[in-house]
Amino acid sequence: MNLNHLAIFHAVAETGSVSGAASRLFISQPAVSKQLREFEGVIGMPLFDRLPKGMRLTATGEVLLVFAQRIFATEAAAERRLAELRDARSGRLSIGASMTIGNYLLPKLLARYQQRYPGVDVQLEIANTEVIQQKLLANTLDLGFTEGFVEEEDLEEVVFALDQLVVIAAPGHRFAGRTDLRAEELCSEPCLLREQGSGTRAVVERTLSARDLHPISTMSLGSPEAIKQAVAAGAGISLVSRWTVATELRAGTLTVLPVTDLTVERPLHRLSLRHKHPSRAVERFLDMLLQDEGLNGAGLVPDLPKTI
Amino acid sequence: MNLNHLAIFHAVAETGSVSGAASRLFISQPAVSKQLREFEGVIGMPLFDRLPKGMRLTATGEVLLVFAQRIFATEAAAERRLAELRDARSGRLSIGASMTIGNYLLPKLLARYQQRYPGVDVQLEIANTEVIQQKLLANTLDLGFTEGFVEEEDLEEVVFALDQLVVIAAPGHRFAGRTDLRAEELCSEPCLLREQGSGTRAVVERTLSARDLHPISTMSLGSPEAIKQAVAAGAGISLVSRWTVATELRAGTLTVLPVTDLTVERPLHRLSLRHKHPSRAVERFLDMLLQDEGLNGAGLVPDLPKTI
DNA sequence: TAAAATACATATATTAAATGTATCCCATAA
DNA sequence: TTATGGGATACATTTAATATATGTATTTTA
């Protein structure tokens, strides 16, 4: 059976006449007449009785009409669904992010995204780089946001922001208020770090040892939150992403120590599966990331380089 | 959306490759490639990621595939249903018949029909000619079987059998056994007839009055059964269709009086709506009617003229 | 490391399908 | 009778689908 023929049959059945179907389909009456007869030939049974005043379905035609209606209703539903996907009125945005990015950088942006595209099913998963890379490769994530990454043929990687690590201390700390601090001095203070394997710890250690600086490591803690709590309690200083402490700085429970001769920066990476076409829902998210309403609009990265 | 394109998309999605789809559709690989790209252009979104080893559905493609599967499954179901209708493995046979035909002529035939075509929904309605004609005109009956009929432009009418009316009496009747009975003699006997308006009564009266015979009418009864019961009880004689008394003759509760100079015959008509194509189920029934397995096979009409 | 194989894309020519125009037929209504 | 409305047919034309030949990228094999 040819579904083009079926469409013509459907139109004739619903309008009750060949000429009616023709005008509905924007083709000529003979075209409909011919196609319909051809279709009846294929079916092997007449679908209409030809009456002087028009066409009347046979029993066979009645049966077929029900199927035709189902088919074209489904087609219409498919078109509607595609239209939704096209304008991101539905779809899925599945993101995997490292702890820092997922907790401090994305939530505000995702909230605005969700507000603008309420039909999209947004999923944010916080996990380490390895898990995120694996899930990207398994095609169960649309985008990954990580600090480091392991080179991988099938993954596309792009620096989308620069993370600045700042030295924090309790407001009552002896260094607080100092504007002439030098990196060496920090080594006299107990320095709290993240656990082995953390991206944050890796970049800190790499930067400092490149300058032959060796901080006194006392504790290693498993999350940015734990670090902040300990530092606020006066346990020492730490190097953390400035995004993780925005709230505490405003609240005054922590302070940043400006170090004159030290800047620790690291690129943040956006990862995606090579050759994978993004859905419209994903494209809209990437748009927001790149536009003013992206990270800048979130008020967190005033002078972010606008790399993709 | 073009459902031809959708079929190609469907094949690519299910085989996972353009070339696979091509061989499944018995067309060349470039044909599939081109149609698919065209389809993606119409949709406005890519449906597949092109990987070196084949094609992978995008999120949009996954959504569309579900609809495509529904559509083509419905199409397949329609094809199956049509095939059933084609071999009368399903369908409807809706017959309206007058009392005599419906009660004595059709049941045996319909039983064999139902046995041979168990999927067909057989409906037999017994009603008078007027009702049957109206239902045929309303297209709610496939066939009508009546004695008389009222000429009607939209109804096609055909004599399908000749009904012989025979004179019956109780076996103990004084005429029983006589082989030289003449029509005049019958007028001395009380004759039971059907009610006014009955086709049977009409033909009897017409035939007899044409010969200037006037039977003594005592009772008029509303059904062949009532007539037979009364005659068997010795209430008189009657003229009835020979089909209605086959059982009683065999049982010996009634006997036929052979009248040397009287034959009362009437044509039986098959009616159908003009321009109406019969379904296969109806065609198969008409076949049985015409073949040896028809009324003859039913053992009721040994020498029936084989008119349609 | 080069050759072969696999898989999809592109270009051009060809074929098949669908459509349009003109005309005819039939039944009905004015 | 002539219009009129609805469908069928014939033939020409346009559009769409397809094939052949070839190209590119990648993977596998020798």
Side-chain angles (χ1 to χ4, degrees):
Chain A
M1 183 189 310
N2 171 332
L3 292 184
N4 245 359
H5 283 165
L6 191 67
I8 282 171
F9 160 77
H10 184 228
V12 175
E14 297 222 317
T15 62
S17 84
V18 170
S19 37
S23 68
R24 198 171 107 164
L25 297 169
F26 303 108
I27 60 180
S28 70
Q29 172 262 316
V32 174
S33 185
K34 187 160 182 287
Q35 296 285 84
L36 182 62
R37 290 203 154 271
E38 216 167 290
F39 189 42
E40 288 181 315
V42 171
I43 298 297
M45 295 176 288
L47 297 169
F48 292 96
D49 296 322
R50 270 74 172 172
L51 308 179
K53 64 200 194 87
M55 310 284 275
R56 182 184 57 206
L57 284 165
T58 60
T60 305
E62 301 252 24
V63 168
L64 186 59
L65 177 58
V66 175
F67 286 97
Q69 282 167 335
R70 274 245 296 281
I71 286 175
F72 294 113
T74 305
E75 184 199 2
E79 302 252 32
R80 283 194 297 275
R81 192 82 169 69
L82 287 174
E84 283 180 9
L85 293 175
R86 233 186 320 262
D87 348 318
R89 296 204 312 281
S90 80
R92 203 198 57 172
L93 172 64
S94 183
I95 293 176
S98 67
M99 206 180 282
T100 304
I101 302 175
N103 282 327
Y104 299 101
L105 201 51
L106 293 180
K108 208 162 181 174
L109 179 58
L110 286 179
R112 287 189 306 121
Y113 177 88
Q114 182 73 103
Q115 201 167 9
R116 189 175 301 178
Y117 305 107
V120 176
D121 176 23
V122 176
Q123 297 177 347
L124 173 62
E125 178 176 349
I126 292 176
N128 66 41
T129 298
E130 191 190 338
V131 168
I132 290 172
Q133 289 198 343
Q134 278 177 350
K135 294 207 169 184
L136 283 168
L137 288 169
N139 197 20
T140 55
L141 284 180
D142 294 312
L143 297 172
F145 293 93
T146 61
E147 286 121 28
F149 71 96
V150 179
E151 193 79 40
E152 170 75 55
E153 172 60 28
D154 283 341
L155 289 184
E156 227 163 47
E157 153 271 327
V158 134
V159 174
F160 79 102
L162 281 185
D163 186 13
Q164 297 178 316
L165 298 189
V166 293
V167 180
I168 55 168
H173 193 274
R174 60 184 174 106
F175 287 165
R178 287 273 303 277
T179 56
D180 56 345
L181 262 180
R182 306 204 32 228
E184 288 163 359
E185 293 183 71
L186 298 177
C187 299
S188 61
E189 268 297 299
C191 186
L192 306 181
L193 290 176
R194 285 282 296 280
E195 76 284 3
Q196 279 288 4
S198 149
T200 306
R201 175 166 182 156
V203 70
V204 167
E205 287 186 331
R206 204 177 334 112
T207 311
L208 294 184
S209 55
R211 308 246 322 242
D212 205 32
L213 298 172
H214 300 282
I216 308 167
S217 175
T218 51
M219 282 195 282
S220 77
L221 297 173
S223 76
E225 285 305 314
I227 299 267
K228 291 188 293 183
Q229 293 287 336
V231 169
I237 61 171
S238 184
L239 260 165
V240 299
S241 161
R242 66 180 307 152
W243 290 323
T244 65
V245 291
T247 308
E248 285 77 9
L249 296 181
R250 201 167 301 133
T253 59
L254 284 176
T255 189
V256 167
L257 305 181
V259 183
T260 54
D261 58 346
L262 182 73
T263 47
V264 186
E265 283 185 343
R266 59 173 174 181
L268 298 183
H269 296 95
R270 176 160 58 73
L271 305 178
S272 57
L273 187 55
R274 201 177 298 280
H275 301 302
K276 178 179 169 96
H277 288 106
S279 70
R280 292 299 176 95
V282 174
E283 282 182 345
R284 292 295 81 78
F285 179 74
L286 293 174
D287 290 347
M288 283 178 70
L289 253 188
L290 294 181
Q291 277 149 26
D292 288 340
E293 6 165 25
L295 297 176
N296 295 322
L300 292 169
V301 201
D303 46 358
L304 191 72
K306 295 208 180 175
T307 15
I308 303 180
Chain B
M1 181 187 313
N2 171 332
L3 293 183
N4 244 359
H5 283 166
L6 191 68
I8 282 171
F9 160 77
H10 184 229
V12 175
E14 297 223 316
T15 62
S17 85
V18 170
S19 36
S23 67
R24 199 171 106 164
L25 297 169
F26 303 108
I27 60 180
S28 70
Q29 173 263 315
V32 173
S33 185
K34 187 160 182 288
Q35 296 284 84
L36 183 61
R37 291 203 152 270
E38 215 166 290
F39 188 42
E40 288 181 316
V42 171
I43 299 296
M45 295 176 287
L47 298 170
F48 292 95
D49 296 322
R50 270 72 173 174
L51 307 180
K53 65 201 195 88
M55 311 284 275
R56 183 184 58 206
L57 285 165
T58 61
T60 305
E62 302 253 23
V63 168
L64 186 59
L65 176 58
V66 175
F67 286 98
Q69 282 167 335
R70 273 245 297 282
I71 286 174
F72 294 113
T74 305
E75 185 199 0
E79 302 251 32
R80 283 193 297 275
R81 193 81 168 70
L82 288 174
E84 283 181 10
L85 293 175
R86 232 185 322 262
D87 345 321
R89 295 204 313 280
S90 80
R92 203 198 55 171
L93 172 63
S94 182
I95 292 175
S98 67
M99 204 179 282
T100 304
I101 303 174
N103 282 327
Y104 299 101
L105 201 50
L106 293 180
K108 210 163 181 172
L109 179 58
L110 287 178
R112 287 189 305 121
Y113 178 87
Q114 183 72 103
Q115 200 165 8
R116 188 175 304 177
Y117 304 107
V120 176
D121 176 23
V122 176
Q123 297 178 348
L124 173 62
E125 178 176 347
I126 292 176
N128 65 41
T129 300
E130 191 190 337
V131 168
I132 290 172
Q133 289 197 343
Q134 278 177 351
K135 295 207 168 186
L136 283 168
L137 288 170
N139 197 21
T140 56
L141 283 179
D142 294 312
L143 297 172
F145 293 93
T146 62
E147 286 123 26
F149 70 95
V150 180
E151 194 77 41
E152 170 76 53
E153 172 60 26
D154 283 341
L155 290 184
E156 227 163 47
E157 152 272 325
V158 134
V159 174
F160 79 101
L162 280 184
D163 186 13
Q164 296 177 317
L165 298 188
V166 293
V167 180
I168 56 168
H173 193 275
R174 61 187 172 104
F175 287 164
R178 289 273 303 278
T179 56
D180 56 345
L181 261 179
R182 310 215 17 237
E184 287 163 1
E185 291 183 73
L186 298 177
C187 298
S188 62
E189 268 297 301
C191 186
L192 306 182
L193 290 176
R194 285 282 298 279
E195 76 284 2
Q196 278 288 4
S198 148
T200 306
R201 174 163 183 160
V203 70
V204 167
E205 288 186 330
R206 204 178 333 114
T207 311
L208 294 184
S209 54
R211 308 255 312 253
D212 204 31
L213 298 172
H214 299 283
I216 307 167
S217 175
T218 52
M219 281 196 283
S220 78
L221 297 173
S223 77
E225 285 304 315
I227 299 266
K228 291 187 295 184
Q229 294 287 337
V231 170
I237 61 171
S238 185
L239 261 165
V240 300
S241 160
R242 66 180 305 152
W243 291 323
T244 66
V245 291
T247 309
E248 285 76 8
L249 297 180
R250 201 168 300 133
T253 59
L254 285 176
T255 188
V256 166
L257 305 180
V259 181
T260 55
D261 59 346
L262 181 73
T263 45
V264 186
E265 284 185 344
R266 57 172 174 182
L268 298 183
H269 297 94
R270 176 160 57 72
L271 305 178
S272 57
L273 186 55
R274 200 176 298 280
H275 302 300
K276 178 179 169 94
H277 288 105
S279 69
R280 292 298 177 94
V282 173
E283 282 183 344
R284 289 298 81 75
F285 178 74
L286 293 174
D287 290 348
M288 284 179 69
L289 253 188
L290 294 181
Q291 276 148 27
D292 288 341
E293 6 165 26
L295 296 176
N296 296 322
L300 293 169
V301 201
D303 46 358
L304 190 73
K306 296 208 179 177
T307 17
I308 303 181

